Amino acid sequence: MPGRPWIPLYGLLLAGFAWVWASLPLMAIPNAGVDDALFVRHAALILSGQWLGPYTQFTLAKGVGYPLWLALTGGLAIPALLGQALLYAAAAVLLVRALSRWIPQEGALFALLVLLLANPGLYGTENLRIIREGFYTPTLLLILALLLWWVRWSGEALGRRLLLAAGLGLALGVFHLTREESVWILPFLLGCLALRGLALWRGWAGSSWRPEAAALLACGALAVLPVLAVSALNARHYGVFRTVEFRDPAFIAAYSALARLGPEAPSLIVLPRERLPALFAASPAAAELAPYFASERGRDYLNVGCQTYRITPCDDEFRAAWFMWALRDATVVVAGHADAVAVRRFYQRLAEEVNAACARGELSCLPPRHSLAPRFRTAYILPSLRAAWQVWTTGLAPVRLPDPRQMRSVYFSGAELEPRASAFLDVVRGDLFVDVLRQEATPAYAFPSLAVERATRILRGLEGWMRAWGIIGPVLQLAALLALLALPLLWRARPARACWPLLALCAGAYLLFATRVALLAYLDTVAIPSVNMLYLSPAMPCLLLGLALPLMLLWRTLRREAPR
């Protein structure tokens, strides 16, 4: 707990943070069928006791972690944005209090909490949607906080450590269920295991191997438990023991087989349209999909790809990020495979037939593979490095905020909403919203909306903070890098003032951020535009820790008396 004089300040800060988030508008896209609307629909179905509802091409397309959270907050009548913010604030406080073992100055800890709550990645237009990153970010911050408490509680009783390990395991399991690319935190987790093993071996940990092994076993078991539970529910309702079909080996095999017909040169086009006649002739399973590619059914996926890459007129080719959705759409809607078991069998048959045709020479194919990622080419290196720089600097730049002139209050504009939008806002408790699909300014109300006026003032204040962050962020990054270079030299001269655990945390934070940057840079090169704050936001707390901790360590080394 913070010292008594600081408790009111913590309370005021957290109350102000909650008030801001209770006042911000929701960016509503109630017809985003593979994002916002899908998550809200699944949350509503869970609340009604139907699990994820009847099987469609979207049912098992995305992880259920976020819909479960929306069902929890919706069932408790907590606005979705506020619920996410409260979880983030709780994780931030937990992390800051864990650091008090190594940073005893309450002022420094309070300043770090302020920085985490002012995280620019929380407030951008895209992050105010009903989108997974709003839950993914606080879950990762919670994992970091619990890992710090793991180190801090090294000498505690086994019961407390097992309880902590269970919480960490559940957080890791839910993290895995929220997005499909959770493997990006694996290097960080392996680094934590290696450092912990080294500390135990050298006797630095304040613990022994036996309680550490028991806690690690409990953590692993609880991490697997939610994944197994969701897989079992999916098996009961849909016949497949899977969390997400995009991870299903059968789907990956089918996608990989079709991608073998792609161009030899680097391209975002997975399956060129000119290869379709030969494909349909060689594979009866693929021929079942022919009506889809000849119809207007997949036009939305085609148009989004063309609009994203500004291809005018549209060349009628499916780009990488949208081809997988088109394949699922064609399999369920056009080919008529209406349940998950039949869909899996179809994907297996499709992969076998295409690969066999490649082996016989009926189709000219690229080498076999089993991955949704394209075959690596050296031509991707330079574009990925350029994209990595753009992604990294995105974290140091201002973010775009909602336009206050487009805000609507459901109490004033409810009559203008179609039933689907009304149901969407009801589940997420979106009383104040921006209708993203209606860009015109909100009509003047008969009398002022207090909610709109309050949100307008808050957004004006956040605009000032974003402009300031565009200056402060790069300065902090430069100062943090200089501090990281200076600290080893200073600690060599003053070994009593070294604090290696905090330096390890700083290195881990940068490792997490750099891994996320590398993932997004590669995706931007080979699959989908990824240079944006929405995709970067889960790693933004790591960047903030990487900016603040070196400066705090430098100040601690230069100003603080040597520890006794």
Side-chain angles (χ1 to χ4, degrees), residues 351-408:
E352 291 169 359
E353 291 176 1
V354 174
N355 287 325
C358 291
R360 293 191 302 267
E362 294 180 26
L363 295 172
S364 175
C365 302
L366 297 173
R369 63 190 182 91
H370 187 79
S371 172
L372 297 181
R375 184 165 56 94
F376 178 77
R377 296 171 169 91
T378 56
Y380 293 147
I381 296 177
L382 284 180
S384 296
L385 290 175
R386 286 194 294 267
W389 171 258
Q390 293 171 342
V391 176
W392 193 295
T393 55
T394 295
L396 303 173
V399 299
R400 187 168 63 91
L401 298 172
D403 186 346
R405 296 170 299 176
Q406 295 177 351
M407 288 190 295
R408 288 172 162 82

Coordinates of all heavy atoms in Angstrom, one line a residue, residues 351-408:
A351 N -7.0 -29.4 -49.4 CA -5.6 -29.4 -49.3 C -5.0 -30.7 -50.0 O -4.0 -30.6 -50.8 CB -5.2 -29.4 -47.9
E352 N -5.6 -31.8 -49.8 CA -5.1 -33.1 -50.4 C -5.1 -33.0 -51.9 O -4.2 -33.4 -52.6 CB -5.8 -34.3 -49.8 CG -5.6 -34.5 -48.3 CD -6.6 -35.5 -47.8 OE1 -7.5 -36.0 -48.5 OE2 -6.5 -35.8 -46.6
E353 N -6.3 -32.6 -52.4 CA -6.4 -32.6 -53.9 C -5.5 -31.6 -54.5 O -4.9 -31.9 -55.6 CB -7.9 -32.2 -54.2 CG -8.9 -33.3 -53.9 CD -10.3 -32.9 -54.1 OE1 -10.5 -31.8 -54.6 OE2 -11.2 -33.7 -53.9
V354 N -5.3 -30.4 -54.0 CA -4.5 -29.4 -54.6 C -3.0 -29.8 -54.5 O -2.3 -29.7 -55.5 CB -4.7 -28.0 -53.9 CG1 -3.6 -27.0 -54.5 CG2 -6.1 -27.5 -54.2
N355 N -2.6 -30.3 -53.4 CA -1.2 -30.8 -53.2 C -0.9 -32.0 -54.1 O 0.2 -32.1 -54.7 CB -0.9 -31.1 -51.8 CG -0.8 -29.9 -50.9 OD1 -0.3 -28.9 -51.3 ND2 -1.2 -30.0 -49.6
A356 N -1.9 -32.9 -54.3 CA -1.7 -34.0 -55.2 C -1.6 -33.5 -56.7 O -0.8 -34.0 -57.4 CB -2.9 -35.0 -55.1
A357 N -2.4 -32.5 -57.0 CA -2.3 -32.0 -58.4 C -1.0 -31.3 -58.6 O -0.4 -31.4 -59.7 CB -3.5 -31.0 -58.6
C358 N -0.4 -30.7 -57.6 CA 0.9 -30.1 -57.7 C 1.9 -31.2 -57.9 O 2.9 -31.0 -58.7 CB 1.2 -29.2 -56.5 SG 0.2 -27.7 -56.3
A359 N 1.8 -32.2 -57.1 CA 2.8 -33.3 -57.2 C 2.8 -34.0 -58.6 O 3.8 -34.5 -59.1 CB 2.5 -34.4 -56.1
R360 N 1.5 -34.1 -59.2 CA 1.4 -34.8 -60.5 C 1.9 -33.8 -61.6 O 2.0 -34.3 -62.8 CB 0.0 -35.2 -60.7 CG -0.5 -36.3 -59.8 CD -1.8 -36.9 -60.3 NE -2.9 -35.9 -60.4 CZ -3.7 -35.6 -59.4 NH1 -3.7 -36.3 -58.3 NH2 -4.6 -34.7 -59.6
G361 N 2.0 -32.6 -61.3 CA 2.4 -31.6 -62.4 C 1.2 -31.0 -63.1 O 1.4 -30.3 -64.1
E362 N 0.0 -31.3 -62.6 CA -1.2 -30.7 -63.3 C -1.3 -29.2 -63.0 O -1.8 -28.5 -63.8 CB -2.5 -31.4 -62.8 CG -2.6 -32.9 -63.2 CD -3.9 -33.5 -62.6 OE1 -4.8 -32.7 -62.4 OE2 -3.9 -34.7 -62.4
L363 N -0.7 -28.8 -61.9 CA -0.7 -27.4 -61.6 C 0.8 -27.0 -61.4 O 1.6 -27.7 -60.8 CB -1.5 -27.1 -60.3 CG -3.0 -27.4 -60.3 CD1 -3.6 -27.3 -58.9 CD2 -3.7 -26.4 -61.3
S364 N 1.1 -25.8 -61.8 CA 2.4 -25.2 -61.5 C 2.4 -24.6 -60.2 O 1.6 -23.6 -60.0 CB 2.8 -24.2 -62.6 OG 4.0 -23.6 -62.3
C365 N 3.2 -25.1 -59.3 CA 3.0 -24.7 -57.9 C 4.4 -24.3 -57.2 O 5.5 -24.7 -57.7 CB 2.5 -25.9 -57.0 SG 0.9 -26.5 -57.6
L366 N 4.3 -23.5 -56.2 CA 5.4 -23.1 -55.4 C 5.7 -24.3 -54.4 O 4.9 -25.2 -54.3 CB 5.1 -21.9 -54.6 CG 4.8 -20.6 -55.4 CD1 4.4 -19.4 -54.4 CD2 6.1 -20.1 -56.1
P367 N 6.8 -24.3 -53.7 CA 7.2 -25.4 -52.8 C 6.1 -25.5 -51.7 O 5.4 -24.6 -51.3 CB 8.5 -25.0 -52.2 CG 9.1 -24.0 -53.2 CD 8.0 -23.3 -53.9
P368 N 5.9 -26.8 -51.2 CA 4.9 -27.0 -50.2 C 5.2 -26.3 -48.9 O 6.4 -26.1 -48.6 CB 4.9 -28.5 -50.0 CG 6.2 -29.0 -50.5 CD 6.6 -28.0 -51.6
R369 N 4.2 -25.9 -48.2 CA 4.4 -25.3 -46.8 C 3.1 -25.5 -46.0 O 2.1 -26.0 -46.5 CB 4.7 -23.8 -47.0 CG 3.6 -23.0 -47.6 CD 4.0 -21.5 -47.9 NE 3.0 -20.7 -48.5 CZ 2.2 -20.0 -47.8 NH1 2.3 -19.9 -46.5 NH2 1.2 -19.2 -48.3
H370 N 3.2 -25.2 -44.7 CA 2.1 -25.3 -43.8 C 2.0 -24.1 -42.9 O 2.4 -24.2 -41.8 CB 2.1 -26.6 -43.0 CG 0.9 -26.9 -42.2 ND1 -0.2 -27.4 -42.8 CD2 0.6 -26.7 -40.9 CE1 -1.2 -27.6 -41.9 NE2 -0.7 -27.1 -40.7
S371 N 1.6 -23.0 -43.4 CA 1.6 -21.8 -42.7 C 0.7 -20.7 -43.4 O 0.5 -20.7 -44.6 CB 3.0 -21.2 -42.6 OG 3.0 -19.9 -42.0
L372 N 0.1 -19.9 -42.5 CA -0.7 -18.7 -43.1 C 0.3 -17.6 -43.6 O -0.1 -16.8 -44.3 CB -1.7 -18.2 -42.1 CG -2.8 -19.1 -41.6 CD1 -3.7 -18.5 -40.6 CD2 -3.6 -19.7 -42.8
A373 N 1.5 -17.6 -43.1 CA 2.5 -16.6 -43.5 C 3.0 -17.0 -44.8 O 3.2 -18.2 -45.2 CB 3.6 -16.6 -42.5
P374 N 3.3 -16.0 -45.7 CA 3.9 -16.3 -47.0 C 5.3 -16.8 -46.9 O 6.0 -16.7 -45.8 CB 3.9 -15.0 -47.7 CG 3.9 -14.0 -46.6 CD 3.2 -14.6 -45.5
R375 N 5.8 -17.5 -47.9 CA 7.2 -17.9 -48.0 C 8.1 -16.7 -47.8 O 7.9 -15.7 -48.5 CB 7.4 -18.7 -49.3 CG 8.8 -19.3 -49.4 CD 8.8 -20.3 -50.6 NE 8.4 -19.7 -51.8 CZ 9.2 -19.2 -52.7 NH1 10.5 -19.3 -52.5 NH2 8.8 -18.7 -53.8
F376 N 9.1 -16.9 -46.9 CA 10.0 -15.7 -46.7 C 10.9 -15.5 -47.9 O 11.4 -16.4 -48.6 CB 10.9 -16.0 -45.5 CG 11.9 -14.9 -45.3 CD1 11.5 -13.7 -44.7 CD2 13.2 -15.0 -45.7 CE1 12.4 -12.7 -44.4 CE2 14.1 -14.0 -45.4 CZ 13.7 -12.8 -44.8
R377 N 11.0 -14.2 -48.2 CA 11.9 -13.8 -49.3 C 12.7 -12.6 -48.9 O 12.3 -11.8 -48.1 CB 11.0 -13.3 -50.5 CG 10.1 -14.4 -51.2 CD 9.2 -13.8 -52.2 NE 8.5 -14.8 -53.0 CZ 7.3 -15.3 -52.7 NH1 6.7 -14.9 -51.6 NH2 6.8 -16.2 -53.5
T378 N 14.0 -12.6 -49.4 CA 14.9 -11.5 -48.9 C 14.4 -10.2 -49.3 O 14.7 -9.2 -48.7 CB 16.3 -11.8 -49.5 OG1 16.1 -11.9 -51.0 CG2 16.9 -13.1 -49.0
A379 N 13.5 -10.1 -50.3 CA 12.9 -8.8 -50.8 C 12.1 -8.2 -49.7 O 11.7 -7.0 -49.8 CB 12.1 -9.0 -52.0
Y380 N 11.7 -9.0 -48.7 CA 10.8 -8.5 -47.6 C 11.6 -7.7 -46.6 O 11.1 -7.0 -45.7 CB 10.1 -9.6 -46.9 CG 9.0 -10.3 -47.7 CD1 8.8 -11.6 -47.6 CD2 8.3 -9.6 -48.7 CE1 7.8 -12.3 -48.3 CE2 7.3 -10.2 -49.4 CZ 7.1 -11.6 -49.2 OH 6.1 -12.2 -50.0
I381 N 13.0 -7.9 -46.5 CA 13.8 -7.4 -45.4 C 13.7 -5.8 -45.4 O 13.4 -5.3 -44.3 CB 15.2 -7.9 -45.5 CG1 15.2 -9.4 -45.4 CG2 16.1 -7.2 -44.5 CD1 16.6 -10.0 -45.5
L382 N 14.1 -5.2 -46.5 CA 14.2 -3.7 -46.4 C 12.8 -3.1 -46.2 O 12.7 -2.2 -45.3 CB 14.8 -3.2 -47.7 CG 16.3 -3.3 -47.8 CD1 16.8 -2.8 -49.1 CD2 17.0 -2.6 -46.7
P383 N 11.7 -3.5 -46.8 CA 10.4 -3.0 -46.5 C 10.0 -3.2 -45.1 O 9.4 -2.3 -44.4 CB 9.5 -3.7 -47.5 CG 10.3 -4.1 -48.6 CD 11.6 -4.4 -48.0
S384 N 10.4 -4.3 -44.5 CA 10.1 -4.6 -43.1 C 10.8 -3.7 -42.2 O 10.3 -3.2 -41.2 CB 10.3 -6.1 -42.8 OG 9.5 -6.9 -43.5
L385 N 12.1 -3.4 -42.5 CA 12.9 -2.5 -41.7 C 12.3 -1.1 -41.7 O 12.2 -0.4 -40.7 CB 14.3 -2.5 -42.1 CG 15.1 -3.8 -41.8 CD1 16.5 -3.7 -42.4 CD2 15.2 -4.0 -40.3
R386 N 11.9 -0.6 -42.9 CA 11.2 0.7 -43.0 C 9.9 0.7 -42.2 O 9.6 1.7 -41.5 CB 11.0 1.0 -44.5 CG 12.2 1.4 -45.3 CD 11.9 2.0 -46.6 NE 11.2 1.1 -47.5 CZ 11.9 0.4 -48.4 NH1 13.2 0.4 -48.5 NH2 11.2 -0.5 -49.2
A387 N 9.2 -0.3 -42.3 CA 7.9 -0.4 -41.6 C 8.1 -0.4 -40.1 O 7.4 0.2 -39.3 CB 7.1 -1.6 -42.0
A388 N 9.2 -1.1 -39.7 CA 9.5 -1.2 -38.2 C 9.8 0.2 -37.7 O 9.4 0.5 -36.6 CB 10.7 -2.1 -38.0
W389 N 10.5 1.0 -38.4 CA 10.8 2.4 -38.0 C 9.5 3.2 -37.9 O 9.3 3.9 -36.9 CB 11.8 3.1 -39.0 CG 11.9 4.5 -38.7 CD1 11.4 5.6 -39.4 CD2 12.7 5.1 -37.7 NE1 11.7 6.8 -38.9 CE2 12.6 6.5 -37.8 CE3 13.5 4.6 -36.6 CZ2 13.2 7.4 -36.9 CZ3 14.1 5.5 -35.8 CH2 13.9 6.9 -35.9
Q390 N 8.6 3.0 -38.9 CA 7.3 3.7 -38.8 C 6.5 3.3 -37.7 O 5.8 4.1 -37.0 CB 6.6 3.5 -40.2 CG 7.3 4.1 -41.4 CD 6.6 3.6 -42.7 OE1 5.9 2.7 -42.7 NE2 6.9 4.4 -43.7
V391 N 6.5 1.9 -37.4 CA 5.7 1.5 -36.3 C 6.2 2.0 -34.9 O 5.5 2.5 -34.1 CB 5.7 -0.1 -36.2 CG1 4.9 -0.6 -35.0 CG2 5.0 -0.6 -37.5
W392 N 7.6 1.9 -34.8 CA 8.2 2.4 -33.5 C 7.8 3.9 -33.3 O 7.4 4.3 -32.2 CB 9.7 2.2 -33.5 CG 10.3 2.3 -32.2 CD1 10.4 3.5 -31.4 CD2 10.9 1.3 -31.4 NE1 11.1 3.2 -30.3 CE2 11.4 1.9 -30.2 CE3 11.2 -0.1 -31.6 CZ2 12.1 1.1 -29.2 CZ3 11.8 -0.8 -30.7 CH2 12.3 -0.2 -29.5
T393 N 8.0 4.7 -34.3 CA 7.8 6.1 -34.2 C 6.3 6.4 -34.0 O 5.9 7.5 -33.5 CB 8.3 6.9 -35.3 OG1 7.8 6.4 -36.6 CG2 9.9 6.8 -35.4
T394 N 5.4 5.5 -34.4 CA 4.0 5.7 -34.2 C 3.7 5.8 -32.7 O 2.8 6.5 -32.2 CB 3.2 4.5 -34.8 OG1 3.3 4.6 -36.2 CG2 1.7 4.6 -34.5
G395 N 4.4 5.0 -31.9 CA 4.3 5.1 -30.5 C 4.7 6.4 -29.8 O 4.3 6.7 -28.7
L396 N 5.5 7.2 -30.5 CA 6.0 8.4 -30.0 C 5.3 9.6 -30.6 O 5.6 10.8 -30.4 CB 7.5 8.6 -30.3 CG 8.4 7.4 -29.7 CD1 9.8 7.5 -30.2 CD2 8.3 7.4 -28.2
A397 N 4.3 9.4 -31.4 CA 3.5 10.4 -32.1 C 2.1 10.6 -31.6 O 1.6 9.7 -30.9 CB 3.5 10.1 -33.6
P398 N 1.5 11.8 -31.8 CA 0.2 12.0 -31.3 C -0.8 11.0 -32.1 O -0.5 10.6 -33.2 CB -0.1 13.4 -31.7 CG 1.2 14.1 -32.0 CD 2.1 13.0 -32.4
V399 N -1.9 10.7 -31.4 CA -2.9 9.9 -32.1 C -4.2 10.7 -32.4 O -4.4 11.8 -31.8 CB -3.3 8.7 -31.2 CG1 -2.1 7.8 -30.9 CG2 -4.0 9.2 -29.9
R400 N -4.9 10.3 -33.4 CA -6.1 11.0 -33.8 C -7.3 10.7 -32.8 O -7.5 9.6 -32.4 CB -6.5 10.6 -35.2 CG -7.7 11.4 -35.8 CD -7.8 11.1 -37.3 NE -8.1 9.7 -37.5 CZ -9.3 9.2 -37.7 NH1 -10.4 10.0 -37.5 NH2 -9.5 7.9 -37.9
L401 N -8.0 11.7 -32.4 CA -9.1 11.6 -31.5 C -10.4 11.8 -32.2 O -10.5 12.3 -33.3 CB -9.0 12.7 -30.4 CG -7.7 12.6 -29.5 CD1 -7.6 13.8 -28.6 CD2 -7.7 11.3 -28.7
P402 N -11.5 11.3 -31.6 CA -12.8 11.5 -32.2 C -13.2 13.0 -32.4 O -12.7 13.9 -31.7 CB -13.8 10.9 -31.2 CG -13.0 10.0 -30.4 CD -11.6 10.6 -30.3
D403 N -13.9 13.3 -33.4 CA -14.4 14.7 -33.7 C -15.6 14.9 -32.8 O -16.6 14.3 -32.9 CB -14.8 14.8 -35.2 CG -15.1 16.2 -35.6 OD1 -15.3 17.1 -34.7 OD2 -15.2 16.5 -36.8
P404 N -15.5 15.9 -31.9 CA -16.6 16.2 -31.0 C -17.9 16.6 -31.7 O -19.0 16.3 -31.2 CB -16.1 17.3 -30.1 CG -14.6 17.3 -30.2 CD -14.3 16.7 -31.6
R405 N -17.8 17.1 -32.9 CA -19.0 17.5 -33.6 C -19.8 16.4 -34.1 O -21.0 16.5 -34.5 CB -18.6 18.4 -34.8 CG -17.9 19.7 -34.4 CD -17.3 20.4 -35.6 NE -16.3 19.5 -36.3 CZ -15.7 19.9 -37.4 NH1 -16.0 21.0 -38.0 NH2 -14.8 19.0 -38.0
Q406 N -19.3 15.1 -34.1 CA -20.0 14.0 -34.6 C -20.6 13.1 -33.4 O -21.2 12.1 -33.7 CB -19.1 13.1 -35.4 CG -18.6 13.8 -36.7 CD -17.6 13.0 -37.5 OE1 -17.2 11.9 -37.0 NE2 -17.3 13.4 -38.7
M407 N -20.5 13.6 -32.2 CA -21.0 12.8 -31.1 C -22.5 12.9 -31.0 O -23.1 13.9 -31.3 CB -20.4 13.3 -29.8 CG -18.9 12.9 -29.6 SD -18.3 13.3 -27.9 CE -18.4 15.1 -27.9
R408 N -23.1 11.7 -30.6 CA -24.5 11.6 -30.5 C -24.9 11.0 -29.1 O -24.2 10.1 -28.7 CB -25.1 10.8 -31.6 CG -25.2 11.4 -33.0 CD -25.6 10.4 -34.0 NE -26.0 11.1 -35.2 CZ -25.2 11.5 -36.2 NH1 -23.9 11.4 -36.0 NH2 -25.7 12.1 -37.3

